[in-house]
């Protein structure tokens, strides 16, 4: 029997951006899904290259692997920029996520409190522009059954929070499903009962899915 010890987690679906203006300073929030520090740094450098003329490209990222967290104020007063962005990531419980907030200075000083609020807002707006994924430990499972059993199995699947990703109709019917690991044993037992022991769901992969 496979086991996944990792807990569910929340991440973002991918790239997005949003922006606002505060006292003539333009703040552009960028967000992306990453799984390694190398990917996070590459995205940060991409934004920095895109906005070479900006006064600041502040960033923070949080990775699931080794619970790694990093941030940079990129020239803003210490504690007013990168840390507030990281705190937004932590409050939203987001991992495998990088945020860069670019600032074009508008000539009016915001003060330390104003800066912290602005970078916090930039991070929040970036998150609002993307989709959140609730990643759950799951099994991808194949179920091969005859046509007589198909209707019965289809009827019970919703009880186990199943997502069907493929159905092939040949001599038999082959279902490929995803379900949370915690439901596998009870589903397998139910299908074996319905089939008088002739059908056993076959685990083909273990991973995290947003279901």
């Amino acid at each position: 029997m496979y086991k996944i010890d990792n807990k569910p987690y929340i991440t973002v679906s991918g790239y997005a951006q949003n922006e606002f203006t505060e006292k003539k300073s333009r703040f552009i929030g960028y967000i992306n899904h990453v799984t390694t520090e190398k990917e996070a740094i590459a995205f940060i450098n991409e934004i920095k290259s895109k906005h070479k003329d900006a006064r600041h490209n502040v960033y923070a990222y949080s990775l699931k692997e080794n619970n790694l967290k990093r941030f940079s104020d990129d020239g803003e007063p210490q504690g007013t920029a990168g840390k507030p962005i990281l705190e937004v990531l932590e409050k939203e419980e987001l991992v495998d996520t990088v945020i860069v907030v670019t600032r074009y200075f508008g000539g009016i000083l915001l003060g330390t409190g104003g800066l912290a609020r602005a970078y916090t807002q930039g991070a929040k707006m970036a998150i609002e522009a993307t989709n959140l994924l609730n990643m759950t430990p799951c099994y991808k499972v194949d179920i091969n059954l005859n046509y007589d059993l198909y209707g019965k199995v289809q009827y019970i699947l919703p009880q186990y929070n199943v997502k069907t990703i493929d159905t092939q109709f040949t001599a038999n019917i082959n279902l490929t499903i995803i379900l949370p690991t915690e439901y596998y044993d009870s589903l397998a037992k139910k299908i074996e009962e319905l089939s008088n022991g002739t059908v056993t769901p076959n685990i083909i992969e273990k991973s995290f899915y947003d279901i």
Side-chain angles (χ1 to χ4, degrees), residues 1 46 49 70 88 90 97-98 107 119 126 131 133 145 151 153 165 185 198-199 203:
M1 182 62 185
E46 177 185 340
S49 178
R70 296 280 190 271
V88 171
E90 292 174 334
T97 302
V98 56
Y119 281 105
N131 295 314
L133 303 178
L145 44 91
V153 171
I165 59 174
D185 288 341
T198 61
V199 178
I203 298 173

Side-chain angles (χ1 to χ4, degrees), residues 1 8 17 20 33 48 66 69 82 86 102 108 113-114 136 141-142 158 163 186-187 190 204:
M1 182 62 185
Q17 70 177 80
F20 70 99
H33 174 76
K48 285 184 174 181
N66 298 323
K69 300 177 182 181
L86 181 59
T102 297
I108 300 175
T136 302
V141 175
D142 271 348
K163 180 178 182 180
S186 57
L187 175 62
K190 186 63 177 180
I204 58 176

Side-chain angles (χ1 to χ4, degrees), residues 131-144:
N131 295 314
L132 301 186
L133 303 178
N134 291 282
M135 306 300 287
T136 302
C138 291
Y139 294 131
K140 182 186 287 186
V141 175
D142 271 348
I143 307 173
N144 190 273

